[in-house]
Amino acid sequence: MSPYVAEFVGTMILIVLGGGVCAGVSLRKSFAHASGWIVIGMGWGLAVAIAVYAVGQISGAHLNPAVTLALAFQGAFPWQDVPGYIVAQILGAMAGAVVVVLHYWPHWKETEDAATKLSVFATGPAMDHPFANVLSEMIGTFIFVLALQSLGANSFTEGLQPLIVGFLVVSIGLSLGGTTGYAINPARDFGPRLVHYLLPIPGKGASNWKYAWVPIVGPLLGGSFGGLFYQAVFKGYVSPVFWIMLGIIVIVLLVTFRFSRTYKSYKANKLTV
């Protein structure tokens, strides 16, 4: 199996199990219906662990464009392989979402709320605040990549490390996920969101594309900076890219903060009209 196929298969497994737990908890007439946030957090953590076990020896189990970019910026992954990995991750996420749609097919019609159906595929904000939302995704992915690389510096009993990575995802979900649903992975959000848009899912609504940039930009910037931060602080090597990435993050946050204030005023004015 080639590394690209492995990334496709691994990301598909990730979404089948991760999206599957969201469907089980969210869709009506499922035995797991309304079982709560902790079940979703555990489901996603185990999904990551199983996917890493499946393909880690073949592709390194990035399963996430933010991880791929972080390693490339560090010089630990060849840039020429980055596009292929990211495409494979997105296609794998789409394939996984299709499996979830088919597995829960009769439950979509039984679930009336369109937003609930979308939440099976894609993340969304608990509070609609662009600055806070993108910052939340940056922080979550920064912690994910930083902790992921810190874990890699430790020795584990053979076969244990993927499970620890899964618990890292559980920890992020329980501690930081309540704001945006912790995408921390652009492929995990964009691929299934595209499937939601394309497939004739009974009773679905809009795919909320106006929010879709947040779980792409936030994780890519936060994850890339997490890798560069690890390299600078833990390894003692501060590359020029570290300062460039920091500058880009500051600019994005300033622009988003300004936009959030304008957006809030627009919504307030619209309500008073």
Side-chain angles (χ1 to χ4, degrees):
M1 183 186 294
S2 77
Y4 300 116
V5 174
E7 285 295 299
F8 173 88
V9 172
T11 312
M12 180 183 70
I13 292 171
L14 170 67
I15 300 302
V16 169
L17 298 179
V21 73
C22 289
V25 170
S26 300
L27 300 181
R28 293 184 60 82
K29 296 192 177 180
S30 159
F31 286 132
H33 178 64
S35 51
W37 186 251
I38 293 177
V39 171
I40 290 175
M42 288 297 299
W44 273 106
L46 291 171
V48 170
I50 298 302
V52 174
Y53 276 122
V55 301
Q57 297 292 327
I58 303 169
S59 68
H62 295 189
L63 315 177
N64 183 342
V67 173
T68 301
L69 277 184
L71 294 173
F73 278 122
Q74 287 181 322
F77 186 74
W79 277 103
Q80 63 265 29
D81 292 343
V82 169
Y85 262 56
I86 292 177
V87 169
Q89 291 155 4
I90 293 172
L91 292 177
M94 293 179 68
V98 171
V99 172
V100 172
V101 170
L102 295 175
H103 184 83
Y104 283 94
W105 184 252
H107 297 268
W108 302 106
K109 189 174 181 180
E110 297 294 334
T111 305
E112 295 179 359
D113 185 54
T116 298
K117 295 175 187 178
L118 176 60
S119 71
V120 173
F121 299 87
T123 60
M127 296 180 64
D128 190 9
H129 191 291
F131 170 76
N133 301 152
V134 76
L135 179 61
S136 177
E137 286 293 334
M138 283 184 186
I139 292 171
T141 319
F142 172 85
I143 295 297
F144 175 65
V145 172
L146 179 63
L148 187 66
Q149 298 215 303
S150 300
L151 290 173
N154 291 274
S155 297
F156 293 92
T157 300
E158 185 176 1
L160 182 61
Q161 188 167 358
L163 187 60
I164 302 301
V165 172
F167 277 114
L168 168 61
V169 173
V170 173
S171 178
I172 290 173
L174 297 183
S175 301
L176 304 175
T179 53
T180 60
Y182 71 113
I184 63 173
N185 181 342
R188 168 265 178 275
D189 189 275
F190 176 73
R193 192 185 298 270
L194 188 56
V195 168
H196 176 272
Y197 174 76
L198 293 173
L199 291 187
I201 299 164
K204 74 173 183 180
S207 301
N208 195 17
W209 287 107
K210 68 182 179 64
Y211 178 78
W213 70 274
V214 171
I216 295 175
V217 173
L220 289 179
L221 291 179
S224 296
F225 189 65
L228 293 166
F229 183 87
Y230 176 84
Q231 190 176 52
V233 175
F234 288 76
K235 298 295 186 180
Y237 174 66
V238 182
S239 72
V241 182
F242 174 91
W243 300 110
I244 294 171
M245 186 61 64
L246 180 59
I248 292 172
I249 288 173
V250 170
I251 291 170
V252 169
L253 289 176
L254 288 173
V255 170
T256 310
F257 180 75
R258 177 60 179 170
F259 172 75
S260 293
R261 295 183 64 181
T262 305
Y263 180 63
K264 184 178 179 181
S265 299
Y266 169 76
K267 289 178 69 176
N269 291 336
K270 192 173 182 180
L271 289 172
T272 58
V273 173

